[in-house]
Amino acid sequence: LLPQRAAEEGAGSKQKIQSFPAGADGLPDTIYGILEDAAANLWLSSRTGIFRVARSALDAFANGSAHTVPVSAYGAPDGMKIRECSGGGHPSAWKMNDGSLWFATLEGVSSIDPARAQENRLPPPVAIEALLIDDRPASLEEAVTVKPGANRLEFQYAGLSFVAPQKVRYRYRLFGFDRGWIDAGTRRAAFYTNLPPGEYRFQVLAANNDGVWNEAGAALALRIEPHFYQTLWFYSALVLAVLLLAALAYRWRVRQVESGWSAVLAERSRLAREIHDTLAQGYVGISVQLELLSRLLGAAQEPARQQLDETRALVRSSLAEARTSIWQLRSQNTAQDLPARLAHFCGSAAHSSPAKVYLQVKGTYHPLDRAIENELQRIGQEAVLNALRHAEATRIDVQLIYDGTRVCLKVDDNGRGFPVTEVSSVPVGHFGLQGMRERAAQIGAVLIVESQPGKGTQVCVELARG
């Protein structure tokens, strides 16, 4: 298709289709011909048009000193009838003696004189035309605020060029999200979905048909508001709540341990009182009786025999008290109600001692909390044992009274009594009475002790029904 003059004057071009290094920005995949002008620019013909690139830019890209190659593209908007060049004929490109360049196309020949070609050095102005939030337009203020729950953002922009507006190229970046610039080609919109809350700045740059970039471009700041569960105060409140729960759990565990330890100490104290008031005192009495018996054996047999009988009785009494204490330890595991347990204890106490022990239950039985019934049982047992051990009583009356508002447990004996200066006071040294006082306080009951020397003792514990 080339004229005969061109075939005679010009220098030939390479006819072989050549591959270009991958990654060179904007260059065609295949090249039909390459011509060089006087300014050391290479002109490339391809099926997508004619391209101009500086040889120095290709060298810099090849040795790694540059990551992009500035390229100028020419096509129908620049005067070509068709932008697709031809590579089937020979030659496909030719350089004339006057420096003009001729390229074969599918519809004839296109030529250009590089010496007369004027390069467009004016960078195109660029503007952000619209911002769509979930396909709804937003007001383009200095800073756009996006409400929580927005899923899709679309930035629409445009570069202004009257020379070749369809050849304006763009690159954009969303600072705060994108790691680098994104080459958009000629696309005039950028899309983002499901952006996390935060502060962002969108910037777009544009280049004209000769690859001159507007480095300032246009920018828009925006802020995406978080949901309440994405805010710093929510995370802080969540951390504080976890710490509070951990502290409460720790305190609950400490109280559990302290409660268990207190229960162990209370039981140890009760065992100490039981041993002191039963076994220890019984053994002391037996020891005294045996000492007297050893002195009487050589002098008088009849008093010695009487003393031996008293010692035997004391041994039996101490053994009965020890058995009673052991039963008292095991009684808390029984499934019987309070009146049945008191009846069993009173029967056992009457069987192992010369005193008469009577139990009377008045009113309609009303079951109480298991712990409360256990403490009432212990108080009644302690009062009966004290009357048997210390008061030398021959009759003990135990009354368990139920009425509509209270429960009352009374223990009366006809023993020798003791002086009480104040109602509910406890004489110093009587650990059994002190234990009853502590147990009554644990269940919120009132303990009243009334006694006079020679007139017996009455122990009364009253508890309001819940």
Side-chain angles (χ1 to χ4, degrees):
L1 298 176
L2 291 176
Q4 182 67 26
R5 178 173 171 272
E8 294 176 352
E9 294 183 329
S13 67
K14 298 180 182 179
Q15 297 300 312
K16 205 166 142 184
I17 296 178
Q18 304 184 19
S19 294
F20 205 79
D25 190 14
L27 292 174
D29 294 334
T30 57
I31 299 173
Y32 298 143
I34 303 177
L35 299 177
E36 184 176 3
D37 61 14
N41 293 319
L42 299 182
W43 295 76
L44 317 175
S45 64
S46 70
R47 70 179 63 183
T48 57
I50 299 174
F51 296 85
R52 186 191 64 186
V53 58
R55 172 175 286 184
S56 59
L58 291 175
D59 293 338
F61 181 83
N63 59 32
S65 59
H67 300 288
T68 59
V69 178
V71 177
S72 298
Y74 300 89
D78 300 290
M80 297 179 65
K81 290 185 178 180
I82 186 173
R83 70 172 186 172
E84 185 175 356
C85 297
S86 174
H90 178 77
S92 61
W94 198 266
K95 180 179 179 181
M96 298 295 186
N97 291 335
D98 59 1
S100 62
L101 306 178
W102 294 60
F103 299 94
T105 70
L106 295 182
E107 294 187 3
V109 176
S110 294
S111 65
I112 185 172
D113 187 355
R116 297 181 180 180
Q118 296 182 356
E119 184 177 359
N120 183 6
R121 305 304 302 171
L122 181 65
V126 60
I128 299 176
E129 295 182 325
L131 170 62
L132 302 182
I133 303 175
D134 290 336
D135 298 327
R136 293 189 297 271
S139 176
L140 295 181
E141 302 175 355
E142 294 183 358
V144 178
T145 300
V146 181
K147 298 298 182 182
N151 296 321
R152 187 171 181 271
L153 300 181
E154 179 182 348
F155 297 89
Q156 296 180 357
Y157 46 82
L160 306 180
S161 176
F162 294 102
V163 176
Q166 70 275 17
K167 297 174 66 176
V168 176
R169 300 180 60 212
Y170 304 92
R171 63 166 64 111
Y172 63 83
R173 182 179 181 182
L174 184 62
F175 290 89
F177 182 77
D178 293 327
R179 295 184 177 180
W181 291 94
I182 298 175
D183 191 353
T186 58
R187 190 177 72 248
R188 295 174 52 193
F191 303 91
Y192 293 90
T193 58
N194 299 322
L195 289 173
E199 303 283 343
Y200 299 95
R201 187 172 69 91
F202 179 79
Q203 186 175 7
V204 57
L205 309 180
N208 63 15
N209 59 311
D210 285 326
V212 179
W213 286 92
N214 182 343
E215 298 295 341
L220 177 66
L222 70 153
R223 177 178 180 269
I224 299 180
E225 294 183 342
H227 292 278
F228 76 94
Y229 52 81
Q230 296 174 315
T231 57
L232 180 60
W233 67 264
F234 179 81
Y235 290 123
S236 301
L238 188 62
V239 171
L240 290 177
V242 171
L243 293 177
L244 180 60
L245 289 177
L248 291 176
Y250 174 76
R251 290 188 61 183
W252 174 78
R253 179 57 182 165
V254 169
R255 288 182 179 178
Q256 255 195 340
V257 174
E258 290 179 347
S259 177
W261 182 244
S262 299
V264 171
L265 291 180
E267 189 65 16
R268 289 177 61 182
S269 299
R270 192 181 70 81
L271 288 175
R273 291 193 299 268
E274 295 292 339
I275 293 174
H276 174 270
D277 292 340
T278 58
L279 298 178
Q281 291 184 3
Y283 289 145
V284 170
I286 294 172
S287 175
V288 173
Q289 296 291 339
L290 291 176
E291 182 67 26
L292 292 175
L293 180 60
S294 65
R295 295 180 182 181
L296 293 174
L297 282 176
Q301 294 184 355
E302 187 62 29
R305 186 181 296 108
Q306 295 178 358
Q307 189 65 41
L308 181 59
D309 293 337
E310 293 179 3
T311 303
R312 290 174 179 173
L314 183 58
V315 170
R316 287 195 298 268
S317 176
S318 298
L319 182 59
E321 289 179 354
R323 288 176 177 172
T324 302
S325 298
I326 294 173
W327 179 87
Q328 184 178 355
L329 292 176
R330 296 174 61 87
S331 63
Q332 61 182 356
N333 297 323
T334 182
Q336 294 178 334
D337 54 23
L338 179 59
R341 283 184 281 172
L342 286 177
H344 185 275
F345 170 76
C346 291
S348 176
H351 183 268
S352 60
S353 65
K356 303 297 183 182
V357 182
Y358 300 96
L359 173 65
Q360 185 180 12
V361 179
K362 296 181 179 181
T364 302
Y365 167 70
H366 176 74
L368 303 174
D369 185 82
R370 192 69 176 174
I372 296 177
E373 289 195 348
N374 288 338
E375 295 301 329
L376 290 175
Q377 174 192 349
R378 298 289 179 81
I379 293 173
Q381 291 173 354
E382 191 67 33
V384 173
L385 291 176
N386 284 342
L388 293 175
R389 296 170 190 162
H390 309 295
E392 299 178 357
T394 60
R395 180 185 176 92
I396 302 174
D397 292 297
V398 180
Q399 291 185 356
L400 182 60
I401 304 171
Y402 292 92
D403 61 20
T405 59
R406 67 189 180 94
V407 177
C408 180
L409 177 63
K410 292 182 180 181
V411 179
D412 291 288
D413 65 73
N414 60 353
R416 60 186 180 182
F418 56 87
V420 179
T421 57
E422 297 180 5
V423 177
S424 75
S425 67
V426 178
V428 177
H430 288 254
F431 297 104
L433 293 177
Q434 181 64 32
M436 289 190 290
R437 186 80 171 274
E438 294 173 357
R439 289 191 173 99
Q442 287 180 0
I443 61 176
V446 178
L447 179 69
I448 302 174
V449 179
E450 296 179 352
S451 181
Q452 291 182 5
K455 294 186 178 181
T457 303
Q458 182 187 77
V459 177
C460 178
V461 56
E462 292 186 4
L463 174 69
R465 289 173 55 177

